[in-house]
Amino acid sequence: LSSIGPPSRSGSTTSSSQGRHDVVLHEGEGPVRRVRWCETLIAWANDSGVKVYDEQRGRRIAYVDRPKGSPPPHKYAPHIAWCDGARTLVVAWADCVKV
């Protein structure tokens, strides 16, 4: 996952028999603050929450809201980690942890 174009747009570069191309996975919600991969799953955090994209299915499969009242994301960047392979995603925003 990398920034493509403006800072509010992110995507993935994929390869196929037709060559390399970029796929936009996210745009319009501010900068991507953290990214974690696990097998075919990509989790990324922006200012509104954490999204999970499954490359195998070719679509987003989950969304975790940023907690209301949490400190500004530019001061306390979120932390995300895959546990138990790709079975559990742990998300931490300042003093709030979601599993």
Side-chain angles (χ1 to χ4, degrees):
L1 191 73
S2 61
S3 180
I4 299 172
S8 63
R9 176 181 252 193
S10 293
S12 174
T13 301
T14 59
S15 297
S16 68
S17 59
Q18 288 81 31
R20 252 180 91 181
H21 65 281
D22 293 328
V23 178
V24 175
L25 302 179
H26 157 87
E27 66 182 325
E29 292 182 351
V32 173
R33 305 223 177 249
R34 194 82 74 209
V35 178
R36 294 292 180 264
W37 290 69
C38 187
E39 299 173 12
T40 64
L41 302 178
I42 307 168
W44 71 93
N46 61 26
D47 292 352
S48 65
V50 175
K51 285 135 180 104
V52 180
Y53 181 86
D54 186 334
E55 282 190 306
Q56 191 171 25
R57 294 180 190 173
R59 63 184 176 93
R60 281 193 231 174
I61 59 168
Y63 175 71
V64 179
D65 280 330
R66 183 173 149 250
K68 291 187 189 322
S70 61
H74 67 277
K75 288 189 174 185
Y76 295 94
H79 293 274
I80 52 181
W82 290 104
C83 300
D84 301 327
R87 294 176 42 189
T88 306
L89 180 66
V90 177
V91 179
W93 291 90
D95 62 352
C96 179
V97 178
K98 295 184 178 186
V99 179

